[in-house]
Amino acid sequence: MAAWTLPPEQPCWPFDAGDWRMAMGLMALDPARWLMVDDSCPALLAERRVLLTNRHGAVTGFLPGSHDAQAEVLALMADHLPRHFPGAYARDGRHLTCHLTGETWDLDAAAPNPLEVAGRLVAEDLCLLLPGDDGAPVLAAAVLCFPNRWRLREKLGRPMAGIHAPVALYGEKLGRPVDRFLETLAPERPVWRMNWGLNDDPALFQPEEVAHTAADAALTPDNAGHRLFLRIERQTLRRLPATGAILFTIRTYQRALADLTGAEAAQVAHVLRTVPEPVARYKGLPRTAGPALAFLDRVAARATDPS
């Protein structure tokens, strides 16, 4: 499938005119929009292939007992992708072809880790949650090529509280609601949500924590538009009907601040000003918010007063 026949990338937008707020922000997911296929996917899939070859141990993790859930994910994708994106994917019996990469996969020969094949088919990162020893869901398998400041190996086998321990206010505000939601998530009611960050590095593969490192002295309001990137994650959650596992997908989008409209710049600036200090520290905003705000205010001002 030629790249120019793919629909254009349409990043989601996580802001409105209100203050920052700590919330799950869950929305009902249209099953047809479970996975996103657009004109950015060929380059993203190529980058994923490189990472899976050169950094395999860093971007994959599979615990014993997760194979059946992995296989269910691949089977669901093998049904979903050709039906919803027939120009990009084609299935012939047990063989699935991804025209975006030119690869054909034998679905019956995807052992030992079918989730890795699934992670080579789409731009989304894939994380599987399965019940741990106490019944609470733990991260049991993942293909995570585009982490944002966390390492898969440090999270594998952990429950939600352990995975999100570094997240400011998570325990106080979201820990119990998230646990209750996961307990009651039904296969027929998938959901999606958004997350965001402000980075000074455009790389998609960012496993290193830099929130508490010193800001780059060369970052200024004059160059912040091209040096700072709004990183937005479109996340989906669905319970797999056969195994009962929970699949968490992450599609990452990035926009340079220079590409924002005046209205968008004003919304981002307002959110940056209303983020509580613990959250700002967690997100690394002390490194980036000063130049970002100065730049965003200029863009917003020009939009309201072009003269």
Side-chain angles (χ1 to χ4, degrees), residues 269-283:
H270 182 75
V271 169
L272 293 179
R273 287 190 167 97
T274 59
V275 170
E277 183 181 357
V279 177
R281 289 198 306 270
Y282 165 72
K283 287 182 174 289

Side-chain angles (χ1 to χ4, degrees), residues 106-146:
D106 184 338
L107 300 173
D108 292 341
N113 294 306
L115 195 68
E116 182 170 341
V117 175
R120 292 174 180 270
L121 291 169
V122 293
E124 282 83 357
D125 283 323
L126 310 172
C127 298
L128 265 175
L129 303 174
L130 286 168
D133 293 338
D134 63 355
V138 302
L139 181 59
V143 177
L144 185 78
C145 293
F146 303 145

Side-chain angles (χ1 to χ4, degrees), residues 13-21 263-264 266-271 274:
W13 184 248
F15 306 111
D16 54 28
D19 295 355
W20 178 91
R21 59 188 180 274
E264 290 171 339
Q267 289 175 354
V268 176
H270 182 75
V271 169
T274 59

Side-chain angles (χ1 to χ4, degrees), residues 13 48 198:
W13 184 248
R48 294 174 73 82
L198 184 63

